[in-house]
């Protein structure tokens, strides 16, 4: 019954373009809109404060749409934790934190910055990773598996390296952490499974329309998140600008370094896999990481959470520009 109503509604979708062309348009437009949302949140702080209460609502729908809009049943997808997924998770949650913590100790980095680096490099992949990866035509299935695994392993990584480095005695609020896992992972997964039960009753065209609408919904949710989280940058503290600059440089260095190292380590798996692994490793869920450490860190550290969104959500736009530039040069070369 429900399937027939949805099928009837889908006839209102009158635009006739190929699936591949539609996905290309969606990816390009999404990259531009997400990058613009970061800029809007920064340039219009009053608007950012209006969006701020909806940041976590946007995050919830990002996960729901990412889990629902996949090419196979999400439960089957999660079960396919292959060797590549395990390798990325080990690299991301064990080897990279070890490298960064060792560098902090060798170069005697101030404790305040060491804690920030520790919290960042032990964080799981950001929940928006499947969407960001798909925006640039990379492996969304791999992204989903890595996001789930690294999120679950995050507290263990924080505990281990916090104690190892001696700069952090972590008092994790496991009840609060499990609540966040339920809200941002288990509940969206349950919704996705229910959708897939309904999906089998829908026609092929209706499934295509639903997939398109969820892609649009994901982009809207990311826009809400990006604009709202920029409200943290609007502060009247005396040292706000110097702290902002320090955190901006640190976030960019960490993101660029982890991206480059990961792409280099996984280059033997092919270009698509290497770039997917790099984006997953560079884009860390520092918001959840700092939520776990909230009892030990001052509220000013949320400024770093906001600043760290720049390399995360602007990266797809930069990759899009590089890809489009490469195409133009390729066409120009062929014409000559």
């Amino acid at each position: 019954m429900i399937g027939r109503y949805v099928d009837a509604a889908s006839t209102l979708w009158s635009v006739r373009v190929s699936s591949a062309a539609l996905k290309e348009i969606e990816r390009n437009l999404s990259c531009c809109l997400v990058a613009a949302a970061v800029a809007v949140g920064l340039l219009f702080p009053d608007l950012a404060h209006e969006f701020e209460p909806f940041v976590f609502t946007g995050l919830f729908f990002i996960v729901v749409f990412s889990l629902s809009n996949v090419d196979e049943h999400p439960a089957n997808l999660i079960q396919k934790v292959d060797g590549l997924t395990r390798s990325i998770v080990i690299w991301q949650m064990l080897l990279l934190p070890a490298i960064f913590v060792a560098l902090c100790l060798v170069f005697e980095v101030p404790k305040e910055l060491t804690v920030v680096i520790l919290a960042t490099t032990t964080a799981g992949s950001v929940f928006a990773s499947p969407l960001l990866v798909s925006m640039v035509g990379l492996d969304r299935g791999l992204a989903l598996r890595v996001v789930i695994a690294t999120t679950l392993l995050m507290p263990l990584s924080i505990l281990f390296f916090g104690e190892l480095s001696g700069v952090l005695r972590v008092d994790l609020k496991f009840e609060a952490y499990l609540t966040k896992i339920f809200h941002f992972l288990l509940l969206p997964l349950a919704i996705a499974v229910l959708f897939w039960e309904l999906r089998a009753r829908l026609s092929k065209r209706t499934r295509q329309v639903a997939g398109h609408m969820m892609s649009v919904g994901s982009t809207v949710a990311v826009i809400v998140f990006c604009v709202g989280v920029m409200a943290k940058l609007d502060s009247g503290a005396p040292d706000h600008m110097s702290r902002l600059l320090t955190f901006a440089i640190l976030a960019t260095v960490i993101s660029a370094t982890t991206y480059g190292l990961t792409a280099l380590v996984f280059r033997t798996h092919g270009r698509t896999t290497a770039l997917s692994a790099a984006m997953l490793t560079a884009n860390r869920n520092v918001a959840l990481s700092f939520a776990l450490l909230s009892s030990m860190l001052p509220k000013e550290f949320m400024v770093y959470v906001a600043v760290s969104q720049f390399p995360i959500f602007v990266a797809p736009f930069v990759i899009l520009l590089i890809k489009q530039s490469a195409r133009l040069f390729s066409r120009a070369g062929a014409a000559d």
Side-chain angles (χ1 to χ4, degrees), residues 118-316:
L118 175 68
T120 302
T121 56
T122 57
S125 298
V126 68
F127 284 131
S129 289
L131 173 64
L132 300 177
V133 164
S134 64
M135 280 183 182
V136 291
L138 301 177
D139 193 339
R140 182 170 56 187
L142 175 64
L144 282 167
R145 296 194 296 272
V146 170
V147 167
I148 293 170
T150 56
T151 300
L152 294 174
L153 291 173
M154 183 190 300
L156 298 178
S157 185
I158 292 174
L159 276 172
F160 178 76
F161 287 103
E163 293 290 337
L164 183 66
S165 63
V167 298
L168 190 64
R169 294 294 181 263
V170 183
D171 179 23
L172 283 178
K173 305 296 184 182
F174 279 101
E175 183 178 349
Y177 178 75
L178 291 176
T179 300
K180 289 181 173 65
I181 288 295
F182 174 77
H183 285 158
F184 296 115
L185 197 59
L186 298 182
L187 183 58
L189 180 59
I191 294 173
V193 170
L194 288 175
F195 169 76
W196 268 78
E197 294 299 322
L198 171 64
R199 188 179 187 274
R201 306 176 187 178
L202 306 179
S203 68
K204 180 179 179 181
R205 173 152 185 79
T206 301
R207 291 196 295 268
Q208 291 175 343
V209 172
H212 170 71
M213 296 308 296
M214 282 189 286
S215 295
V216 173
S218 295
T219 302
V220 172
V222 172
I223 289 172
V224 171
F225 177 83
C226 288
V227 175
V229 80
M230 290 300 112
K232 299 298 182 183
L233 300 182
D234 184 29
S235 171
D239 63 341
H240 177 65
M241 288 309 298
S242 62
R243 183 180 295 272
L244 182 62
L245 180 60
T246 300
F247 284 164
I249 294 173
L250 183 60
T252 302
V253 169
I254 292 176
S255 180
T257 302
T258 54
Y259 190 99
L261 283 175
T262 304
L264 183 64
V265 168
F266 289 92
R267 68 188 186 283
T268 57
H269 293 272
R271 177 179 175 276
T272 298
T273 298
L275 292 180
S276 298
M279 285 192 67
L280 292 168
T281 304
N283 298 342
R284 300 301 188 99
N285 194 351
V286 290
L288 182 56
S289 180
F290 279 112
L292 294 176
L293 303 172
S294 58
S295 62
M296 304 191 64
L297 298 175
K299 293 182 180 180
E300 287 76 13
F301 276 89
M302 281 302 295
V303 174
Y304 177 80
V305 175
V307 169
S308 67
Q309 306 308 308
F310 283 93
I312 292 174
F313 291 104
V314 175

Side-chain angles (χ1 to χ4, degrees), residues 27-82:
R27 285 197 293 263
N28 294 347
L29 182 59
S30 296
C31 289
C32 297
L33 290 176
V34 169
V38 175
V40 168
L42 179 64
L43 296 174
F44 302 97
D46 290 341
L47 181 63
H49 283 291
E50 293 292 328
F51 276 76
E52 188 177 10
F54 306 102
V55 164
F56 289 107
T57 301
L59 185 60
F60 173 79
F61 282 106
I62 291 170
V63 184
V64 169
F65 291 135
S66 295
L67 288 172
S68 301
N69 194 21
V70 291
D71 296 329
E72 59 180 306
H73 198 292
N76 296 336
L77 185 68
I78 294 170
Q79 292 173 1
K80 295 180 178 179
V81 178
D82 53 9

